[in-house]
Amino acid sequence: MTTAASPSDVLIVGSGAAGLTAALTLAERFRVTVLAKGALNEGSTAWAQGGIAAVLEPGDTFDNHVEDTMVAGAGLNDREVVEFVVGAAPAAIARLQQLGVPFAMDGNALHLTREGGHSHRRIVHVADATGWAVQEALQKAAEAHPNITLVPDQVAIDLATSRHEERYSGAGNVWGVYAVDRRTGTVNLYTARATILATGGAGRTYLFSTAPRGATGDGIAMAWRAGCRVSNMEMMQFHPTCLYNLEVKNFLITEAVRGEGGRLINPVTGKRFMTYYDAERMELAPRDVVARAIDAEIKRYGLDYVHLDISHMPPDFVRGHFPNIYDKLIGLGIDMTRAPIPVVPAQHYTCGGIVIDRDGRTDLPGLYAAGECTESGLHGANRLASNSLLECFVFGEACADHIAAHWDSLPPVPVIRPWDESRVTDSDEEVVIKQNWTEIRRFMWNYVGIVRTTKRLERAQHRITMLTEEVADYYGHFRVTPDLIELRNLLQTAELIVRSALRRHESRGLHYTRDWPEMLPEAVDTVLVP
């Protein structure tokens, strides 16, 4: 059964920083519907501990921030895009302050901290829970706006395109999405003259990830199936310091702990080991460097984890800067003011994604995208710390501005066919979904992780080929469920990651392969075309 929701002017898939920024920008003129996969605050935005990078102090410059971003991204970034985003950062911070985000202050000025890869203190933050404060402020403003309709528990299945029109136009437009309601199992059709994908990344493709449960690459997979190019999908960022604890999974220890003096220690030797890997920048080296260093120490010494130690700093300083992390660790029997924190790397951020331009436009008319599901040219081969929320604000607004400026050229929505369930039944083999989900995440971690080889990538590709047939057969015979939708998208995203990794015959940024250990003179994007 398909239900057609009331048409909106603009449909936004995703209720995090990018989606809500776009919604609030558009709502002064247009009716906007925002779909959330689960609860409105379940996305990656609320999980962001660190902060937002912005040039705000006299000793810093836009050129410094641009250069830091380019160095971290190993030159694969688009410099014009980097300059555009960096230049827009102060205004983005000012808008968040107007919405009531309670940023930490140092007297009358914003308190700025420093993170790995940054040459200056430029990270605006709310203690160690910036994302939660930002999500709360944006969501409160959106809930209060009469032109914004927020709809939770809608799991997008696929984009509604010209091939779903009752009278096929052949124009290739995107008219909205089909989505299944978690509570009822009903497939809803949401249509609009413009659609923005703000669906987040694909972290759950991996066994160990700091990403929330819903980060299954949905927007990337849907856009690819509809005909959009994707780029640099091999550039999966692994955060160096995820808490190692068998009871608690996916708890991130923010980069700011290292920015404020935290040291990485080998628990066997008792020595600070970053001196062997990057003696100049030490713990403040970019994330790819630090993650590979930790991975190397773990493998060399047969460790389960390494230590992150900030206990040499005054206890009041540690508790004041990291209250949420301190409370969480105390509950697990770890006092970070007196003892080191056991940490391991985990997948953290998807640097590649749907190809967009500076206005957030994709390859398809009527379809825009913003945030972690995109490859805008900002991050290159490795995201610089605290540039991610910034990208969401800047490109969320860019999408909205372009839609508003070109509204009259957007055609009205034609009649779209309902979702067809006439040839499928309810599944009696749900165990297949769980088994395949686990298998994908495990072989991606083992074969397509921090250090890669061509042989490992080919093994992963072989498994993906076999699973693709199995999942396609399952999808064709049974009614869609949230778990089946996510499995299909995980598998598609994994295929794009592996295919991209096999194409890059060099080591650059987050893509490190033993078969091609050197970096080529020219930085070239890996672009896949459907």
Side-chain angles (χ1 to χ4, degrees), residues 379-434:
H379 304 307
N382 179 32
R383 176 178 70 90
L384 181 66
S386 291
N387 270 355
S388 50
L389 285 176
L390 175 59
E391 180 184 37
C392 291
F393 306 134
V394 174
F395 277 95
E397 185 174 4
C399 290
D401 288 345
H402 191 273
I403 290 169
H406 296 82
W407 182 252
D408 292 340
S409 67
L410 293 171
V413 181
V415 177
I416 304 297
R417 294 195 307 273
W419 186 255
D420 183 8
E421 289 188 335
S422 61
R423 291 169 289 179
V424 296
T425 61
D426 290 329
S427 170
D428 58 357
E429 291 287 341
E430 290 290 329
V431 68
V432 173
I433 296 176
K434 185 176 181 180

Side-chain angles (χ1 to χ4, degrees), residues 257 310-311 318 322 325-326 329 334-339 341:
V257 172
I310 197 171
S311 63
V318 175
F322 310 109
I325 294 174
Y326 175 80
L329 294 179
I334 302 169
D335 184 349
M336 66 188 289
T337 68
R338 304 177 65 179
I341 308 165

Side-chain angles (χ1 to χ4, degrees), residues 245-405:
N245 186 285
L246 298 180
E247 297 176 17
V248 178
K249 296 181 179 179
N250 312 320
F251 184 70
L252 176 66
I253 307 299
T254 175
E255 187 125 356
V257 172
R258 284 179 283 129
E260 295 296 343
R263 301 167 180 169
L264 288 166
I265 308 293
N266 184 310
V268 172
T269 66
K271 293 182 178 180
R272 190 177 178 185
F273 58 81
M274 280 306 298
T275 185
Y276 306 120
Y277 299 95
D278 196 316
E280 182 180 349
R281 294 176 293 186
M282 299 289 282
E283 284 83 5
L284 290 178
R287 288 177 176 175
D288 60 321
V289 176
V290 180
R292 280 199 296 273
I294 295 174
D295 184 66
E297 290 290 300
I298 286 174
K299 288 175 178 172
R300 181 181 177 189
Y301 288 90
L303 307 171
D304 291 323
Y305 54 83
V306 298
H307 280 150
L308 175 60
D309 191 5
I310 197 171
S311 63
H312 54 280
M313 300 296 285
D316 288 345
F317 174 89
V318 175
R319 286 190 290 264
H321 277 71
F322 310 109
N324 294 287
I325 294 174
Y326 175 80
D327 289 344
K328 180 75 171 181
L329 294 179
I330 282 290
L332 297 170
I334 302 169
D335 184 349
M336 66 188 289
T337 68
R338 304 177 65 179
I341 308 165
V343 295
V344 292
Q347 190 286 337
H348 182 58
Y349 194 85
T350 308
C351 289
I354 307 161
V355 175
I356 60 170
D357 66 10
R358 270 180 47 176
D359 296 312
R361 290 183 295 176
T362 71
D363 293 329
L364 300 179
L367 181 65
Y368 296 74
E372 194 179 352
C373 65
T374 70
E375 202 286 293
S376 65
L378 174 63
H379 304 307
N382 179 32
R383 176 178 70 90
L384 181 66
S386 291
N387 270 355
S388 50
L389 285 176
L390 175 59
E391 180 184 37
C392 291
F393 306 134
V394 174
F395 277 95
E397 185 174 4
C399 290
D401 288 345
H402 191 273
I403 290 169

Side-chain angles (χ1 to χ4, degrees), residues 121-132:
R121 285 182 171 269
R122 65 168 73 99
I123 312 303
V124 182
H125 64 102
V126 183
D128 56 353
T130 306
W132 183 261

Side-chain angles (χ1 to χ4, degrees), residues 444-496:
M444 287 296 289
W445 181 259
N446 290 333
Y447 298 155
V448 200
I450 297 171
V451 177
R452 301 165 179 173
T453 67
T454 301
K455 193 170 185 180
R456 289 177 190 169
L457 293 173
E458 288 173 344
R459 283 176 177 152
Q461 190 176 52
H462 177 65
R463 293 301 307 138
I464 289 168
T465 300
M466 289 193 293
L467 286 173
T468 297
E469 293 182 17
E470 190 173 312
V471 171
D473 180 69
Y474 192 97
Y475 183 81
H477 285 86
F478 299 115
R479 287 191 176 90
V480 292
T481 64
D483 286 347
L484 176 56
I485 294 164
E486 289 185 330
L487 173 64
R488 182 178 180 230
N489 291 336
L490 275 175
L491 187 58
Q492 179 62 79
T493 308
E495 193 267 337
L496 295 172

